[in-house]
Amino acid sequence: MKRIYDLLNNNRDIAFATVGDDGKPKIRVFQIMKIDEQANILYFATSPKKEVFMQLQSKPAVELLALSGKSSVRIAGDAAFNLGDEICQEIYDTNSVLSRLYKDYQDLAYFCVPMVTLDYFDLNTNPPILKTFNL
């Protein structure tokens, strides 16, 4: 798992897919705001005015993909918005992009994605590595 967390920590801009109201996938670039390696949880923030927020409220299933060279990590899970105020403040305070875009940490909606399944692909090796984890 060390390789996986190294890849995630060094490549926080990820492809993030949700399910739209039409039942079709919707993908966008998102930034991982915090990683809890012990609990296998990723944390994010978004505006409650954005379409992605409404999609996550109605259909919390997500899939994300982090890529570095010829290695990638694909993660599936369900978004949860039940974060405490302390962790929301921490995410805001430790990610400077948020304070540039939003005046106050309470202007955002914070959520986490506990990792349910994870696929690690590494095409740098011969033979390539493919490992699947059910967490």
Side-chain angles (χ1 to χ4, degrees):
M1 289 291 285
K2 180 178 178 352
R3 281 187 191 174
I4 292 165
Y5 281 113
D6 286 347
L7 190 148
L8 291 171
N9 279 305
N10 293 317
N11 300 279
R12 292 196 174 220
D13 293 329
I14 58 163
F16 189 91
T18 59
V19 180
D21 290 337
D22 58 2
K24 295 181 181 179
K26 306 294 180 188
I27 194 163
R28 71 224 1 113
V29 174
F30 242 74
Q31 188 175 70
I32 301 170
M33 297 289 153
K34 176 180 170 63
I35 300 172
D36 182 338
E37 295 182 23
Q38 301 303 315
N40 298 315
I41 298 174
L42 305 177
Y43 292 86
F44 302 89
T46 191
S47 168
K49 297 175 182 174
K50 288 186 176 179
E51 179 184 43
V52 66
F53 173 78
M54 289 166 252
Q55 290 168 350
L56 292 169
Q57 292 290 303
S58 64
K59 296 178 181 74
V62 300
E63 193 166 272
L64 59 92
L65 179 70
L67 179 66
S68 177
K70 294 181 181 179
S71 298
S72 66
V73 175
R74 183 177 60 197
I75 297 168
D78 287 344
F81 285 88
N82 58 344
L83 304 183
D85 193 61
E86 188 175 300
I87 196 158
C88 297
Q89 182 75 57
E90 176 192 344
I91 291 168
Y92 183 83
D93 290 343
T94 57
N95 292 278
S96 61
V97 68
L98 297 177
S99 61
R100 285 186 336 178
L101 299 172
Y102 302 93
K103 291 182 182 182
D104 189 81
Y105 84 100
Q106 293 178 329
D107 294 338
L108 291 156
Y110 300 87
F111 64 97
C112 66
V113 176
M115 298 182 219
V116 175
T117 60
L118 184 149
D119 294 321
Y120 173 69
F121 300 97
D122 189 345
L123 297 174
N124 292 302
T125 61
N126 191 9
I129 296 171
L130 167 58
K131 290 186 179 182
T132 298
F133 300 88
N134 293 306
L135 305 169

